[in-house]
């Protein structure tokens, strides 16, 4: 976009005028382009709503420069412009539409803007001056890329399914506006959800999608699984600690614990009797043979 130092008009943001020219096609060297039709739509810059439209056929000074039959199905023929006004007749209207506004259109910098200046120069009048120029060819080539092909209006329209280009000024202007809206929508979505449109996902603040919601549920499930496993490990560790403590207690059971009393082959009441018998046997062992001692010991143990 090329612009002047200011885009303000009487203290307001300048309106945008989308326009298009249809011309003759030179078939020999040195032949000039001759304007056959002018079409324009003035739009509000903030809403892109149509404020005013204008279209007119233009009769050239030399009618022979216009083909009797157009190579295009909806092209302009000599008969169509025979009774049309000359450029000088509509110059005031075209000037009022273009002057002091932002000019917009497809490939207008290299073609339409040049033809307008030439047409006004031929009638000896100063050409209208824009406060800015928006060439959708340059903008879309830079921002939208060549995904739609050669970036011609007909190719872009076919890419978005908008029908065939008519090659008539007002219809082409409307098509240009629709193409821009479609491209802007795609670029907006790509800037907002770049990874989602590419089949991948990266965290994007402020944006929640179905895939992100599912991923969050999956992540939550995995976290819950990890938490449950962690809790299970903690419980196992606690039980292990309890078992270790219990084993330690078994090595040194408390005297008051009834569950750890050792079983004995005789009762507490007969302990004194057994002690007396042992003393008696030891006394008798001094005179009796050792075999008798062992014999009495075995019977005692039984």
């Amino acid at each position: 976009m090329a612009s002047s130092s200011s885009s303000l008009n009487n203290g307001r943001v300048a309106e945008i005028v989308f326009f298009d020219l249809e011309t003759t096609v030179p078939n020999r060297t040195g032949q000039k382009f001759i304007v056959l039709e002018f079409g324009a739509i003035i739009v509000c810059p903030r809403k892109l709503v149509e404020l005013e439209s204008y279209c007119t056929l233009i009769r050239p000074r030399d009618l022979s420069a216009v083909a009797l039959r157009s190579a295009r199905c909806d092209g302009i023929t000599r008969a169509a412009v025979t009774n049309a006004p000359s450029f000088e007749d509509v110059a005031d209207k075209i000037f009022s539409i273009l002057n002091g506004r932002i000019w917009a259109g497809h490939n207008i910098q290299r073609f339409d803007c040049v033809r307008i200046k030439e047409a006004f120069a031929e009638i000896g009048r100063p050409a209208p001056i824009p406060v800015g120029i928006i060439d959708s060819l340059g903008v879309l080539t830079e921002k939208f890329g060549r995904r739609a092909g050669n970036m011609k209006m007909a190719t872009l329209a076919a890419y978005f399914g908008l029908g065939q280009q008519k090659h008539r000024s007002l219809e082409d202007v409307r098509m240009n506006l629709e193409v821009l809206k479609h491209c802007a929508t795609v670029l907006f979505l790509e800037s907002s959800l770049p990874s989602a449109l590419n089949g991948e996902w990266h965290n994007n603040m402020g944006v929640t999608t179905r895939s992100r919601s599912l991923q969050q549920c999956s992540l939550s499930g995995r976290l819950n699984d990890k938490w449950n496993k962690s809790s299970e490990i903690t419980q196992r560790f606690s039980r292990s600690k309890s078992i270790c403590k219990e084993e330690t207690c078994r090595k040194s059971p408390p005297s008051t614990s009834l569950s750890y009393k050792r079983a004995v082959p005789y009762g507490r009441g007969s302990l004194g009797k057994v002690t007396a018998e042992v003393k008696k046997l030891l006394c008798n062992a001094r005179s009796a043979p050792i075999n008798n001692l062992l014999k009495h010991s075995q019977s005692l143990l039984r």
Side-chain angles (χ1 to χ4, degrees):
M1 170 180 167
S3 63
S4 63
S5 59
S6 173
S7 61
L8 298 177
N9 186 17
N10 296 327
R12 297 179 301 173
V13 177
E15 296 167 335
I16 303 175
V17 53
F18 284 81
F19 72 98
D20 178 73
L21 299 177
E22 292 298 323
T23 68
T24 59
V25 180
N27 52 21
R28 64 177 182 269
T29 305
Q31 192 175 13
K32 295 182 178 180
F33 291 93
I34 300 174
V35 178
L36 299 178
E37 189 176 37
F38 173 87
I41 296 177
I42 301 173
V43 300
C44 171
R46 299 188 184 279
K47 299 180 180 180
L48 290 183
V49 294
E50 183 175 325
L51 302 176
E52 180 184 350
S53 64
Y54 174 76
C55 185
T56 182
L57 288 168
I58 298 173
R59 185 185 74 250
R61 292 178 179 179
D62 183 9
L63 280 174
S64 63
V66 186
L68 293 174
R69 293 182 179 181
S70 175
R72 298 166 177 167
C73 60
D74 296 319
I76 300 172
T77 63
R78 185 181 300 177
V81 297
T82 299
N83 298 320
S86 65
F87 186 82
E88 191 171 7
D89 294 335
V90 295
D92 287 341
K93 180 65 174 179
I94 293 175
F95 185 92
S96 66
I97 289 175
L98 294 179
N99 193 54
R101 289 191 169 99
I102 299 173
W103 295 4
H106 204 68
N107 196 30
I108 61 173
Q109 272 192 303
R110 292 190 301 176
F111 187 81
D112 300 79
C113 294
V114 177
R115 303 289 87 82
I116 286 292
K117 292 180 180 179
E118 290 176 349
F120 274 92
E122 286 182 2
I123 63 174
R125 293 184 54 175
I129 300 175
V131 296
I133 296 176
I134 302 173
D135 193 325
S136 59
L137 175 61
V139 172
L140 295 181
T141 300
E142 178 184 355
K143 302 295 184 181
F144 196 68
R146 294 190 178 275
R147 70 185 78 181
N150 58 17
M151 303 303 289
K152 290 183 178 180
M153 183 56 61
T155 308
L156 288 165
Y159 179 81
F160 288 111
L162 300 176
Q164 294 183 343
Q165 185 180 5
K166 299 295 185 180
H167 292 286
R168 296 300 299 268
S169 294
L170 199 58
E171 286 83 354
D172 285 0
V173 169
R174 296 192 191 283
M175 181 170 281
N176 192 6
L177 275 167
E178 288 302 311
V179 165
L180 281 173
K181 290 176 182 178
H182 279 70
C183 290
T185 301
V186 171
L187 292 174
F188 171 77
L189 291 174
E190 288 181 346
S191 65
S192 301
L193 302 170
S195 301
L197 294 180
N198 290 330
E200 300 174 357
W201 178 256
H202 300 286
N203 288 335
N204 191 357
M205 297 300 293
V207 179
T208 301
T209 62
R210 177 179 173 85
S211 61
R212 183 179 185 181
S213 177
L214 292 175
Q215 187 178 33
Q216 288 176 340
C217 291
S218 176
L219 177 60
S220 178
R222 291 197 299 270
L223 289 176
N224 288 335
D225 290 342
K226 291 183 178 179
W227 173 260
N228 292 334
K229 290 181 180 179
S230 177
S231 299
E232 183 180 352
I233 292 172
T234 302
Q235 292 173 2
R236 289 181 179 177
F237 181 70
S238 299
R239 289 197 298 269
S240 176
K241 290 180 65 178
S242 177
I243 292 172
C244 292
K245 183 176 180 180
E246 184 177 346
E247 291 295 336
T248 304
C249 294
R250 283 178 180 176
K251 291 179 182 180
S252 307
S255 58
T256 57
S257 176
L258 297 177
S259 60
Y260 293 106
K261 289 182 179 179
R262 185 181 296 275
V264 294
Y266 43 82
R268 286 178 179 270
S270 61
L271 182 57
K273 182 179 179 181
V274 172
T275 302
E277 292 290 337
V278 171
K279 287 182 178 181
K280 183 179 180 180
L281 287 173
L282 290 176
C283 291
N284 294 333
R286 295 177 181 177
S287 58
I290 191 64
N291 290 335
N292 292 333
L293 176 62
L294 292 176
K295 181 179 178 180
H296 285 288
S297 297
Q298 290 175 357
S299 63
L300 180 63
L301 292 174
R302 290 193 185 99

